[in-house]
């Protein structure tokens, strides 16, 4: 596992739970608005060994009830299932943050009960996916992951970070059809923290986000604003 970050205590990364968050390095997307650009490029970061992580977990296992595995893109790590299995030995829940491009790993981990909650990023409507992801995308893998999660086999959320240069009424309308029947979608407020892959991007206003919410709510059961 390429671990390059550890938030030792979080009350926001796994709703309703007290968790620690581990950040893996590397990503197959290059989203212009990514706030974890150092993790994507793996620059200016010192690795954290699995031994160090599990030593921390041993000390805190009675204070937290879960681990959030984020990135980067965690499913690029071939030993992610084994890593998750070891976390499970501590009796902890696992939340996985993913872009859904590795359907087989996602499905296998869920089938093996190595994941208790999935937060899958939905970048945009299918027609705009590669532009927003900043990379070539195997959209078939993304669609398989979306449809699998929509079956409700595991608690999940979809989430989209709204960026004015990428999300419009047209793309949101298309995205609503793409996610039709989903249980939960969070529309996240974009904040430029100064380390994004592309500079000078703008957030969608609250009124704009509310309008998007109205459009999406016609096809998705629960749509929420996050960070507005």
């Amino acid at each position: 596992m390429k671990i390059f970050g550890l938030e030792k205590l979080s009350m926001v990364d796994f709703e309703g739970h007290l968790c620690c968050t581990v950040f893996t390095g590397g990503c197959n997307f290059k989203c212009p608005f990514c706030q974890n650009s150092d993790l994507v490029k793996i620059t200016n970061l010192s690795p954290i060994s699995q031994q160090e992580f599990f030593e921390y977990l041993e000390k805190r296992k009675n204070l937290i009830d879960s681990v959030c595995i984020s990135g980067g893109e965690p499913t690029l790590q071939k030993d992610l299932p084994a890593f998750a299995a070891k976390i499970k030995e501590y009796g902890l829940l696992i939340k996985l943050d993913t872009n859904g491009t590795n359907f087989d790993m996602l499905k296998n981990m869920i089938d093996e009960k190595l994941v208790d909650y999935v937060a899958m990023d939905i970048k945009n409507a299918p027609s705009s996916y590669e532009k927003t992801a900043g990379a070539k995308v195997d959209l078939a893998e993304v669609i398989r992951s979306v449809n699998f999660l929509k079956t409700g086999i595991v608690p999940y959320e979809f989430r989209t970070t709204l960026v004015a240069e990428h999300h419009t009424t047209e793309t949101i309308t298309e995205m609503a059809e793409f996610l039709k029947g989903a249980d939960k979608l969070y529309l996240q407020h974009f904040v430029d923290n100064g380390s994004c892959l592309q500079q000078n991007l703008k957030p969608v206003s609250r009124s704009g986000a509310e309008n998007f919410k109205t459009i999406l709510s016609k096809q998705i059961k629960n749509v929420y604003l996050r960070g507005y």
Side-chain angles (χ1 to χ4, degrees):
M1 288 286 293
K2 297 179 180 178
I3 302 172
F4 289 96
L6 175 62
E7 187 171 353
K8 295 184 176 181
L9 194 63
S10 172
M11 294 184 287
V12 297
D13 287 332
F14 192 171
E15 187 174 354
H17 297 276
L18 195 60
C19 74
C20 71
T21 302
V22 59
F23 296 92
T24 64
C27 189
N28 52 339
F29 285 0
K30 299 293 183 290
C31 305
F33 50 88
C34 179
Q35 295 180 325
N36 290 340
S37 59
D38 284 347
L39 287 168
V40 172
K41 297 180 290 186
I42 314 182
T43 55
N44 305 315
L45 299 173
S46 299
I48 297 171
S49 68
Q50 288 196 52
Q51 179 180 348
E52 181 180 347
F53 169 72
F54 284 110
E55 285 176 353
Y56 167 78
L57 214 57
E58 182 67 35
K59 294 176 183 177
R60 293 297 183 97
K61 63 182 179 182
N62 295 322
L63 298 177
I64 60 175
D65 64 1
S66 54
V67 175
C68 174
I69 305 175
S70 192
E73 173 50 43
T75 63
L76 295 179
Q77 313 297 323
K78 293 182 179 180
D79 52 348
L80 176 62
F83 180 70
K86 189 168 181 179
I87 292 172
K88 279 294 181 182
E89 293 176 5
Y90 289 84
L92 299 172
L93 300 174
I94 294 177
K95 176 196 174 203
L96 177 65
D97 293 344
T98 182
N99 61 25
T101 54
N102 191 338
F103 170 75
D104 287 339
M105 180 179 285
L106 176 63
K107 181 179 185 302
N108 289 340
M109 289 184 69
I110 292 172
D111 288 345
E112 295 297 321
K113 302 190 184 305
L114 296 176
V115 177
D116 301 283
Y117 190 91
V118 176
M120 180 177 164
D121 290 318
I122 302 296
K123 299 304 177 181
N124 209 330
S127 64
S128 300
Y129 224 88
E130 290 192 346
K131 176 185 175 183
T132 306
K136 293 290 292 183
V137 178
D138 186 346
L139 200 57
E141 286 289 286
V142 173
I143 292 171
R144 291 175 77 194
S145 295
V146 165
N147 290 337
F148 182 64
L149 290 175
K150 285 199 296 186
T151 66
I153 191 170
V154 67
Y156 73 93
E157 68 182 58
F158 296 132
R159 58 190 189 182
T160 299
T161 300
L162 297 177
V163 181
E165 288 82 358
H166 289 267
H167 300 97
T168 65
T169 299
E170 290 72 25
T171 64
I172 291 296
T173 300
E174 183 187 342
M175 199 172 88
E177 189 64 31
F178 174 45
L179 299 178
K180 183 177 182 178
D183 179 64
K184 189 188 303 182
L185 170 67
Y186 284 94
L187 299 177
Q188 301 183 150
H189 184 234
F190 166 66
V191 177
D192 188 347
N193 65 357
S195 64
C196 297
L197 291 177
Q198 181 178 329
Q199 301 302 308
N200 301 316
L201 294 171
K202 297 178 179 62
V204 171
S205 66
R206 183 177 180 89
S207 62
E210 291 281 7
N211 180 52
F212 291 167
K213 177 182 176 181
T214 298
I215 294 169
L216 290 156
S217 294
K218 296 175 183 179
Q219 304 286 13
I220 298 165
K221 185 176 180 181
N222 299 291
V223 182
Y224 306 99
L225 302 186
R226 177 180 279 160
Y228 278 93

